[in-house]
Amino acid sequence: MPKHFLSISDFSKEEIDSIFENASSIESRWLTPDVRRNNFCLASFFAEASTRTRFSFERAMHWLGGNVITDSYAGLSSSLSKGESLKDTFRTLSQYSDIIVMRHHNENWPDEARKYSRVPVINAGSGSGEHPTQALLDLYTIKQKFNNLQGLKVMMCGDLKNGRTIHSLAQLLTSYGCELFACPARTADLDKFNIPTKYKVKCNSVEIEDADNVLPDMDVIYMTRIQKERIDHDSRKITHLHRSAWESYYDEFQLNSSNIDLINENAIILHPLPRNKEISEDIDEDPRAIYHEKQIRNGMYIRTAILQQILNSGIS
Ligand code: NCD
């Protein structure tokens, strides 16, 4: 008969003594350098949807020989949904792990989390705020192609107000001397889609009807989707006007077989993904469209490098 533990009455006093003795021996070994080195653990805490970021971080930790504890529905399945504070959640996670990677719709949470975590926190996307590791992998991808970034012309298209990948990448590109061309989606309210001034980036503005005219001069075209969930979130009540506004963007500007030939032979097309309709599938096989292989794989290498660097620098 298997021994089940369903009620406290299932434990005899002898069994309890034995569990305590064992736990005490585990406790004394848990944090010893040797045991620790072989048991590094990433807590992957995602309270928003993710495919590339979460899987690449987790793959990266496995590749380094570490472990992963993961919650991909953290907003719903963690104790946050029972009203636990961020403070208590991160105090807890940092007792179980060596690095925490987090994604949440609240822009301020990574900053808050770092105050309460005893282990390093990595921001894997904070609302409409930032997505720093995506920016690093994007820059790495651009650098592999062009090496010299000074004066490189980069056009950023789509939801520039709400796209966190845009905010991090624009800052990075500016600091490396690239010239930015911001082509915000035109919706009912165009202003809403410009890069917020707090990110302090200097861009040339491109009107959507001029986008095709600007394409031939660009070295990098960085496409993004309209962040519908954030528009919904911002305005709370989504109106027909809002919906048709973001949907009509795809009629106003889309990369497809009719304008792909305008793009320089040596240019590259990037997209952090997921894609909606801003890039038509009929150009996926174009050699300049490197979002489905190179850019995705680079995410794994960059995140492995980041984790390794944190582990090497002797966590906490
Ligand atoms: C982006 C994100 O989550 O910010 N995707 C990603 O991480 N690769 C882009 C998006 O959601 O549009």
Side-chain angles (χ1 to χ4, degrees), residues 80-128:
L80 285 176
S81 67
K82 297 181 185 170
E84 184 168 60
S85 65
L86 170 76
K87 185 172 174 173
D88 289 354
T89 301
F90 275 75
R91 277 178 170 155
T92 305
L93 288 179
S94 66
Q95 293 298 329
Y96 294 150
S97 60
D98 300 289
I99 302 177
I100 302 171
V101 56
M102 71 174 292
R103 170 172 285 190
H104 195 274
H105 66 256
N106 188 323
E107 267 185 50
N108 304 317
W109 271 33
D111 242 2
E112 284 299 299
R114 92 162 126 207
K115 292 185 199 150
Y116 309 117
S117 171
R118 60 165 199 97
V119 302
V121 173
I122 300 175
N123 177 6
S126 48
S128 297

Side-chain angles (χ1 to χ4, degrees), residues 154 156 160 170 174 179-183 195 201-206:
V154 183
M156 305 183 112
L160 308 190
T174 305
E179 196 181 346
L180 303 190
F181 294 77
C183 181
I195 298 178
V201 294
K202 234 177 88 212
C203 299
N204 303 290
S205 263
V206 178

Side-chain angles (χ1 to χ4, degrees), residues 48-50 52-53 103 124-125 127 131 134 163-165 224-225 227 229-230 271-274 303:
E48 268 194 349
S50 174
R52 283 144 288 267
T53 308
R103 170 172 285 190
H131 194 346
Q134 179 71 39
R164 55 196 176 200
T165 69
T224 60
R225 72 184 172 98
Q227 306 270 308
E229 70 276 29
R230 308 211 189 283
H271 194 310
L273 304 174
R303 289 176 176 127

Side-chain angles (χ1 to χ4, degrees), residues 152-164:
L152 211 67
K153 292 187 165 67
V154 183
M155 180 155 108
M156 305 183 112
C157 309
D159 189 346
L160 308 190
K161 183 199 169 208
N162 294 299
R164 55 196 176 200

Side-chain angles (χ1 to χ4, degrees), residues 39 66 111 142 180 246 275 291 295:
N39 284 286
D111 242 2
I142 296 171
L180 303 190
W246 59 256
R275 156 195 40 199
Y291 39 83
Q295 193 181 359

Side-chain angles (χ1 to χ4, degrees), residues 237-249:
K237 49 176 196 322
I238 179 126
T239 63
H240 280 303
L241 179 65
H242 280 99
R243 269 205 196 285
S244 61
W246 59 256
E247 272 167 0
S248 70
Y249 168 62

